[in-house]
Amino acid sequence: MSRPGPLLLRLELDGGPGVGDRVRDLVARESACCSFLAFTLTEDRSDAPGEDLDRPHGTGDGTGRGGRIRLGIAVDAAHEGVVEALATRTRAFVARNSPRGARRRPVAPSSSRSDRPPVTTDREHP
């Protein structure tokens, strides 16, 4: 997960059987109900090393052959809180599901406000 700015969230997901199809389906459903969300979807196919496929949602071969899936979620200034909430939920999910002992990796804060604590993506080693 990265936050290049307060209005953008980027997720990098592990591919696998059906993952690409599930992400494309989620993007289609969210686009239909929440027009203020703008999605970009990029897939690296494991069957074509080094080839980066930038496909709009709802396309692709549907084989789910692994690789990486990058999902960008952008909003306008009026909906900054929505992308912040998604980032918060993502951080919590990663913290619950990351391997024990994983090192913390700082992620750029979502805004330049100095009163916000730094964001991390992995659980701190006890």
Side-chain angles (χ1 to χ4, degrees):
M1 179 181 91
S2 67
R3 292 293 305 277
L7 305 178
L8 179 61
L9 172 65
R10 289 188 180 144
L11 305 174
E12 187 164 332
L13 309 167
D14 291 328
V19 174
D21 290 335
R22 288 179 24 214
V23 171
R24 284 187 292 278
D25 179 62
L26 175 67
V27 166
R29 287 184 285 124
E30 291 299 322
S31 295
C33 79
C34 304
S35 62
F36 58 87
L37 294 172
F39 295 95
T40 57
L41 183 61
T42 305
E43 299 179 64
D44 292 334
R45 292 188 329 198
S46 62
D47 60 334
E51 183 181 348
D52 194 28
L53 301 178
D54 191 8
R55 300 181 190 143
H57 65 273
T59 64
D61 64 10
T63 60
R65 290 187 185 115
R68 304 290 290 168
I69 299 168
R70 287 189 267 319
L71 178 62
I73 306 168
V75 296
D76 57 24
H79 294 93
E80 179 180 351
V82 174
V83 83
E84 182 63 34
L86 288 171
T88 299
R89 291 183 64 122
T90 301
R91 284 190 296 272
F93 177 83
V94 169
R96 283 191 313 271
N97 294 288
S98 64
R100 201 172 227 339
R103 295 183 325 144
R104 290 174 70 121
R105 295 179 303 182
V107 173
S110 62
S111 101
S112 60
R113 290 178 30 191
S114 61
D115 60 333
R116 290 188 182 181
V119 177
T120 59
T121 58
D122 292 323
R123 187 182 335 213
E124 185 173 9
H125 183 66

